[in-house]
Amino acid sequence: MPTTIKKYKAAAVTAEPGWFDLEASVQKTIHWINEAGKAGCKLVAFPEVWIPGYPYWMWKINYQESLPFLKSYRQNSLPSDSDEMRRIRAAARENAIYVSMGYSEIDLASLHLAQVLISPTGDIINHRRKIRPTHVERLIFGDGSGDTFESVVDTDIGRVGQLWKTHVRKPFLKAYACALGEQVHVAAWPIYPDKTTLHYPDPYTNVSDANSDIVTPAYAIETGTYVLAPFQRISVEGVRKNTPTHIQEPESPDCYNGHTRIYGPDGTLLAKPDKDFEGLVMVDIDLDEAHLPKALADFGGHYMRQDLIRLLVDTRRKELVTHADVNGSLGVYSTQDRVGLSQPLNAPTPEPGSIKKAAIPAQSLSVDELKHPQKKAVQSNGY
């Protein structure tokens, strides 16, 4: 699809998810899609595993303590072929907006760290699964397959790419995105503590400061892309929900908040919310601003030597059971087909106003308001 819209507004969601509650998570998702639509955004980006929240408790408790959390987390994960997903797709269509959303996808008996890119018509134009969950995430989530690996999609607002968390650091994945001519990138981060929690020998790369202020702008510089980096937030109540009941004094949520960033294609910081801000962090994108950074160093084009260095990418799905026909030809399988995401969204049928039923006060920050806090709107107590 050719790019026809070069200048537009985009938003990164910095908000608290609906911990262990699928319905609350869906309502929050629709709410922020509606708010982005009202603000005139063409793209809204949600954090990693926004539904039903990133399971950060897995980094902090032992196996026995984790079991009640794990069961509830699985029960509230999002099936791709579900009414909940269709409601989210309908919200994207109603607001004529691209939606990048991370979620815990339950498929048969397995969970996957998934992302979708939903078009303004409500179609799924990319469905991704994390190819290798990070560290203890592998206790909860399975690996993605080859056909859920693609990261960049051609749209009328540019070539939009998506990655998660520490995959933003992976050189091969950046090289692949560069080769596909990525222009706008969603670096979806989960909830992350800041450096005040750091204790040796835990590495500095395992706190938010390194990832929001070093890793993310490095991605922008190396790829010459706009980078929206939404992070989750958490409240005192959210901490309680993610803490075993025998712990009498749960930790403060302050270290987990305020890490969302947006960077320009030369690595310039364009937007950074206050620590207590919850809402949409917005930016005005102009794709032509990437011309000069890419003229200096296009690592997927004129500044690379493909005759010397090449990357092999295998995007086939390998099935546990593969069927052969009478001629011995093996079947070709699609994850997106199997989980129902390739089906078009049906014609709108909800009662008037049902999509926008989550009427929650919101706030949004423009780049100008972020640079000049005195212009910031009065904060609400919404989600």
Side-chain angles (χ1 to χ4, degrees):
M1 176 185 293
T3 299
T4 57
I5 305 172
K6 290 188 175 183
K7 294 183 178 181
Y8 56 91
K9 187 179 293 184
V13 176
T14 180
E16 183 169 27
W19 304 110
F20 302 101
D21 189 330
L22 178 56
E23 177 56 28
S25 297
V26 172
Q27 289 192 30
K28 284 173 177 270
T29 305
I30 293 171
H31 165 69
W32 293 118
I33 292 172
N34 289 340
E35 292 301 314
K38 291 176 187 175
C41 295
K42 295 291 185 182
L43 170 67
V44 59
F46 287 89
E48 181 182 30
V49 204
W50 165 254
I51 297 177
Y54 183 75
Y56 89 101
W57 41 268
M58 65 189 165
W59 294 86
K60 305 171 72 65
I61 59 181
N62 63 37
Y63 169 74
Q64 287 293 337
E65 291 173 330
S66 75
L67 295 180
F69 292 98
L70 179 59
K71 183 177 180 181
S72 179
Y73 195 81
R74 290 172 62 91
Q75 290 171 327
N76 287 278
S77 290
L78 176 63
S80 289
D81 188 8
S82 64
D83 288 339
E84 289 84 2
M85 178 62 85
R86 282 183 281 274
R87 286 164 56 198
I88 294 168
R89 293 171 62 182
R93 180 174 64 185
E94 185 168 310
N95 288 279
I97 191 171
Y98 287 94
V99 176
S100 173
M101 185 187 74
Y103 63 108
S104 172
E105 180 187 19
I106 186 161
D107 179 12
L108 301 178
S110 294
L111 294 187
H112 295 277
L113 283 149
Q115 271 179 321
V116 287
L117 184 61
I118 307 172
S119 77
T121 59
D123 295 316
I124 304 295
I125 56 177
N126 201 13
H127 169 236
R128 312 188 61 250
R129 288 175 175 174
K130 202 169 190 176
I131 56 173
R132 177 55 54 87
T134 303
H135 205 267
V136 298
E137 290 175 355
R138 295 197 285 274
L139 299 175
I140 297 176
F141 300 103
D143 292 345
S145 58
D147 71 332
T148 62
F149 176 67
E150 294 289 1
S151 58
V152 179
V153 177
D154 281 313
T155 75
D156 60 352
I157 61 169
R159 291 178 289 277
V160 179
Q162 302 162 286
L163 286 174
W164 311 264
K165 201 182 177 186
T166 48
H167 282 210
V168 176
R169 298 209 305 253
K170 288 192 173 185
F172 283 1
L173 299 187
K174 281 190 274 193
Y176 187 41
C178 279
L180 296 174
E182 184 180 34
Q183 294 171 290
V184 179
H185 181 75
V186 177
W189 294 92
I191 186 170
Y192 235 121
D194 64 27
K195 62 184 178 182
T196 62
T197 65
L198 195 62
H199 299 286
Y200 182 83
D202 195 14
Y204 184 63
T205 47
N206 199 33
V207 294
S208 64
D209 307 71
N211 292 299
S212 59
D213 298 326
I214 299 175
V215 172
T216 302
Y219 188 99
I221 292 169
E222 292 176 29
T223 60
T225 62
Y226 282 91
V227 179
L228 281 69
F231 279 74
Q232 294 179 20
R233 291 178 50 79
I234 195 167
S235 63
V236 172
E237 180 59 27
V239 171
R240 289 196 188 97
K241 290 180 179 179
N242 284 275
T243 303
T245 55
H246 68 81
I247 297 178
Q248 298 299 315
E249 295 185 11
E251 63 185 333
S252 167
D254 291 346
C255 65
Y256 292 99
N257 297 330
H259 308 315
T260 292
R261 305 283 189 271
I262 299 178
Y263 292 94
D266 63 353
T268 299
L269 177 63
L270 300 179
K272 175 183 177 180
D274 293 338
K275 200 172 185 66
D276 61 351
F277 175 77
E278 177 162 290
L280 300 175
V281 180
M282 296 192 289
V283 66
D284 291 318
I285 287 178
D286 181 354
L287 297 182
D288 283 339
E289 288 299 309
H291 275 299
L292 293 182
K294 293 209 177 207
L296 288 171
D298 180 6
F299 296 106
H302 65 81
Y303 202 48
M304 185 50 69
R305 286 286 304 276
Q306 61 267 32
D307 57 323
L308 302 178
I309 302 173
R310 284 176 287 175
L311 181 66
L312 174 64
V313 178
D314 186 350
T315 57
R316 296 171 297 170
R317 178 180 173 86
K318 286 80 172 178
E319 288 285 340
L320 183 62
V321 177
T322 301
H323 293 88
D325 63 20
V326 293
N327 298 315
S329 297
L330 298 180
V332 178
Y333 302 90
S334 163
T335 302
Q336 191 165 329
D337 288 346
R338 192 177 62 74
V339 300
L341 288 177
S342 59
Q343 294 296 317
L345 195 62
N346 293 332
T349 56
E351 295 295 326
S354 62
I355 296 299
K356 296 188 176 181
K357 65 181 179 181
I360 304 156
Q363 56 176 328
S364 304
L365 287 183
S366 66
V367 173
D368 185 57
E369 288 168 334
L370 286 161
K371 290 180 178 177
H372 306 283
Q374 68 272 18
K375 296 183 180 180
K376 187 172 127 180
V378 176
Q379 188 163 325
S380 71
N381 294 322
Y383 272 145

